mmCIF file of all heavy atoms in Angstrom:
data_model
loop_
_atom_site.group_PDB
_atom_site.id
_atom_site.type_symbol
_atom_site.label_atom_id
_atom_site.label_comp_id
_atom_site.label_asym_id
_atom_site.label_seq_id
_atom_site.Cartn_x
_atom_site.Cartn_y
_atom_site.Cartn_z
ATOM 1 N N CYS A 39 24.153 -0.830 22.008
ATOM 2 C CA CYS A 39 23.167 -0.786 22.997
ATOM 3 C C CYS A 39 22.648 -2.244 23.487
ATOM 4 O O CYS A 39 21.708 -2.386 24.140
ATOM 5 C CB CYS A 39 21.773 -0.013 22.613
ATOM 6 S SG CYS A 39 22.244 1.555 21.954
ATOM 7 N N GLY A 40 23.341 -3.320 22.945
ATOM 8 C CA GLY A 40 22.973 -4.642 23.124
ATOM 9 C C GLY A 40 23.616 -5.248 24.392
ATOM 10 O O GLY A 40 24.332 -4.521 25.032
ATOM 11 N N GLY A 41 23.400 -6.505 24.620
ATOM 12 C CA GLY A 41 23.935 -7.172 25.814
ATOM 13 C C GLY A 41 22.910 -7.476 26.786
ATOM 14 O O GLY A 41 21.872 -6.907 26.785
ATOM 15 N N ASN A 42 23.220 -8.343 27.652
ATOM 16 C CA ASN A 42 22.388 -8.778 28.772
ATOM 17 C C ASN A 42 21.847 -7.555 29.664
ATOM 18 O O ASN A 42 20.678 -7.715 30.124
ATOM 19 C CB ASN A 42 23.058 -9.893 29.624
ATOM 20 C CG ASN A 42 22.051 -10.458 30.510
ATOM 21 O OD1 ASN A 42 20.944 -10.775 30.139
ATOM 22 N ND2 ASN A 42 22.503 -10.807 31.759
ATOM 23 N N SER A 43 22.600 -6.654 29.935
ATOM 24 C CA SER A 43 22.226 -5.578 30.895
ATOM 25 C C SER A 43 21.773 -4.340 30.141
ATOM 26 O O SER A 43 21.643 -3.356 30.739
ATOM 27 C CB SER A 43 23.362 -5.188 31.823
ATOM 28 O OG SER A 43 24.513 -4.807 31.116
ATOM 29 N N CYS A 44 21.536 -4.473 28.845
ATOM 30 C CA CYS A 44 21.112 -3.309 28.040
ATOM 31 C C CYS A 44 19.708 -3.531 27.366
ATOM 32 O O CYS A 44 18.798 -4.242 27.998
ATOM 33 C CB CYS A 44 22.116 -2.945 27.109
ATOM 34 S SG CYS A 44 23.640 -2.251 27.880
ATOM 35 N N HIS A 45 19.592 -3.110 26.222
ATOM 36 C CA HIS A 45 18.298 -3.125 25.559
ATOM 37 C C HIS A 45 17.939 -4.253 24.662
ATOM 38 O O HIS A 45 17.136 -4.288 23.760
ATOM 39 C CB HIS A 45 18.131 -1.788 24.716
ATOM 40 C CG HIS A 45 18.247 -0.575 25.503
ATOM 41 N ND1 HIS A 45 17.255 -0.168 26.425
ATOM 42 C CD2 HIS A 45 19.355 0.257 25.740
ATOM 43 C CE1 HIS A 45 17.647 0.912 27.029
ATOM 44 N NE2 HIS A 45 18.871 1.311 26.618
ATOM 45 N N ASP A 46 18.706 -5.397 24.717
ATOM 46 C CA ASP A 46 18.492 -6.500 23.952
ATOM 47 C C ASP A 46 17.327 -7.415 24.479
ATOM 48 O O ASP A 46 17.104 -7.245 25.607
ATOM 49 C CB ASP A 46 19.714 -7.345 23.826
ATOM 50 C CG ASP A 46 19.947 -8.068 22.504
ATOM 51 O OD1 ASP A 46 18.950 -8.150 21.737
ATOM 52 O OD2 ASP A 46 21.069 -8.561 22.307
ATOM 53 N N ASP A 47 16.661 -8.133 23.715
ATOM 54 C CA ASP A 47 15.703 -9.169 24.259
ATOM 55 C C ASP A 47 16.237 -10.009 25.278
ATOM 56 O O ASP A 47 17.310 -10.550 25.047
ATOM 57 C CB ASP A 47 15.166 -9.889 23.049
ATOM 58 C CG ASP A 47 14.385 -9.093 22.048
ATOM 59 O OD1 ASP A 47 14.041 -7.982 22.241
ATOM 60 O OD2 ASP A 47 14.123 -9.629 20.885
ATOM 61 N N GLY A 48 15.455 -10.204 26.246
ATOM 62 C CA GLY A 48 15.827 -11.034 27.456
ATOM 63 C C GLY A 48 16.848 -10.424 28.355
ATOM 64 O O GLY A 48 17.224 -11.114 29.238
ATOM 65 N N GLY A 49 17.171 -9.138 28.205
ATOM 66 C CA GLY A 49 18.101 -8.483 29.031
ATOM 67 C C GLY A 49 17.567 -8.151 30.413
ATOM 68 O O GLY A 49 16.337 -8.482 30.671
ATOM 69 N N THR A 50 18.249 -7.599 31.242
ATOM 70 C CA THR A 50 17.777 -7.247 32.557
ATOM 71 C C THR A 50 16.945 -6.059 32.731
ATOM 72 O O THR A 50 16.285 -5.811 33.756
ATOM 73 C CB THR A 50 18.987 -7.145 33.586
ATOM 74 O OG1 THR A 50 19.762 -6.066 33.039
ATOM 75 C CG2 THR A 50 19.833 -8.406 33.727
ATOM 76 N N LEU A 51 16.863 -5.211 31.617
ATOM 77 C CA LEU A 51 15.920 -4.094 31.567
ATOM 78 C C LEU A 51 14.613 -4.557 31.413
ATOM 79 O O LEU A 51 14.320 -5.707 30.904
ATOM 80 C CB LEU A 51 16.424 -3.151 30.548
ATOM 81 C CG LEU A 51 17.626 -2.437 30.719
ATOM 82 C CD1 LEU A 51 17.964 -1.486 29.502
ATOM 83 C CD2 LEU A 51 17.684 -1.594 31.987
ATOM 84 N N GLY A 52 13.574 -3.773 31.848
ATOM 85 C CA GLY A 52 12.129 -4.076 31.632
ATOM 86 C C GLY A 52 11.876 -4.307 30.118
ATOM 87 O O GLY A 52 12.634 -3.782 29.255
ATOM 88 N N VAL A 53 10.831 -5.067 29.840
ATOM 89 C CA VAL A 53 10.406 -5.433 28.469
ATOM 90 C C VAL A 53 10.141 -4.203 27.579
ATOM 91 O O VAL A 53 10.682 -4.270 26.461
ATOM 92 C CB VAL A 53 9.158 -6.382 28.602
ATOM 93 C CG1 VAL A 53 8.597 -6.648 27.185
ATOM 94 C CG2 VAL A 53 9.391 -7.685 29.214
ATOM 95 N N SER A 54 9.622 -3.139 28.238
ATOM 96 C CA SER A 54 9.438 -1.931 27.358
ATOM 97 C C SER A 54 10.784 -1.393 26.873
ATOM 98 O O SER A 54 10.856 -0.599 25.983
ATOM 99 C CB SER A 54 8.580 -0.922 28.038
ATOM 100 O OG SER A 54 9.304 -0.333 29.193
ATOM 101 N N SER A 55 11.913 -1.674 27.539
ATOM 102 C CA SER A 55 13.209 -1.072 27.249
ATOM 103 C C SER A 55 13.990 -2.107 26.435
ATOM 104 O O SER A 55 15.099 -1.835 26.043
ATOM 105 C CB SER A 55 13.990 -0.847 28.468
ATOM 106 O OG SER A 55 13.479 0.251 29.206
ATOM 107 N N GLN A 56 13.366 -3.118 25.991
ATOM 108 C CA GLN A 56 14.080 -4.239 25.208
ATOM 109 C C GLN A 56 13.472 -3.945 23.776
ATOM 110 O O GLN A 56 12.594 -4.626 23.194
ATOM 111 C CB GLN A 56 13.713 -5.606 25.627
ATOM 112 C CG GLN A 56 14.314 -5.988 27.026
ATOM 113 C CD GLN A 56 13.817 -7.263 27.494
ATOM 114 O OE1 GLN A 56 13.350 -8.223 26.819
ATOM 115 N NE2 GLN A 56 13.812 -7.466 28.882
ATOM 116 N N TRP A 57 14.217 -3.048 23.038
ATOM 117 C CA TRP A 57 13.759 -2.565 21.719
ATOM 118 C C TRP A 57 14.679 -2.726 20.576
ATOM 119 O O TRP A 57 14.412 -2.343 19.418
ATOM 120 C CB TRP A 57 13.285 -1.180 21.776
ATOM 121 C CG TRP A 57 14.094 -0.179 22.601
ATOM 122 C CD1 TRP A 57 13.712 0.396 23.747
ATOM 123 C CD2 TRP A 57 15.378 0.225 22.453
ATOM 124 N NE1 TRP A 57 14.520 1.255 24.267
ATOM 125 C CE2 TRP A 57 15.703 1.180 23.443
ATOM 126 C CE3 TRP A 57 16.395 0.009 21.574
ATOM 127 C CZ2 TRP A 57 16.976 1.758 23.545
ATOM 128 C CZ3 TRP A 57 17.696 0.537 21.614
ATOM 129 C CH2 TRP A 57 17.857 1.514 22.656
ATOM 130 N N ILE A 58 15.772 -3.428 20.746
ATOM 131 C CA ILE A 58 16.728 -3.638 19.608
ATOM 132 C C ILE A 58 16.064 -4.379 18.481
ATOM 133 O O ILE A 58 16.372 -3.977 17.263
ATOM 134 C CB ILE A 58 18.021 -4.372 19.981
ATOM 135 C CG1 ILE A 58 18.858 -3.421 20.824
ATOM 136 C CG2 ILE A 58 18.800 -4.933 18.898
ATOM 137 C CD1 ILE A 58 20.192 -3.919 21.326
ATOM 138 N N ASN A 59 15.188 -5.242 18.698
ATOM 139 C CA ASN A 59 14.533 -5.890 17.682
ATOM 140 C C ASN A 59 13.053 -5.467 17.319
ATOM 141 O O ASN A 59 12.322 -6.169 16.756
ATOM 142 C CB ASN A 59 14.471 -7.438 17.914
ATOM 143 C CG ASN A 59 15.909 -7.958 18.078
ATOM 144 O OD1 ASN A 59 16.534 -7.933 17.075
ATOM 145 N ND2 ASN A 59 16.229 -8.728 19.033
ATOM 146 N N ASP A 60 12.798 -4.247 17.893
ATOM 147 C CA ASP A 60 11.290 -3.846 17.651
ATOM 148 C C ASP A 60 11.419 -2.318 17.383
ATOM 149 O O ASP A 60 11.485 -1.436 18.313
ATOM 150 C CB ASP A 60 10.561 -4.100 18.935
ATOM 151 C CG ASP A 60 9.119 -3.863 18.904
ATOM 152 O OD1 ASP A 60 8.688 -2.995 18.224
ATOM 153 O OD2 ASP A 60 8.407 -4.588 19.608
ATOM 154 N N LYS A 63 8.855 -0.100 19.454
ATOM 155 C CA LYS A 63 9.211 0.177 20.848
ATOM 156 C C LYS A 63 10.349 1.161 20.832
ATOM 157 O O LYS A 63 10.451 2.006 21.745
ATOM 158 C CB LYS A 63 9.732 -1.202 21.582
ATOM 159 C CG LYS A 63 8.632 -2.009 22.114
ATOM 160 C CD LYS A 63 9.448 -3.151 22.993
ATOM 161 C CE LYS A 63 8.361 -4.210 23.327
ATOM 162 N NZ LYS A 63 9.142 -5.317 23.863
#
Side-chain angles (χ1 to χ4, degrees):
C39 308
N42 189 40
S43 62
C44 291
H45 299 286
D46 213 346
D47 293 347
T50 58
L51 293 178
V53 174
S54 64
S55 294
Q56 297 174 18
W57 37 244
I58 285 180
N59 295 308
D60 191 326
K63 279 187 192 176

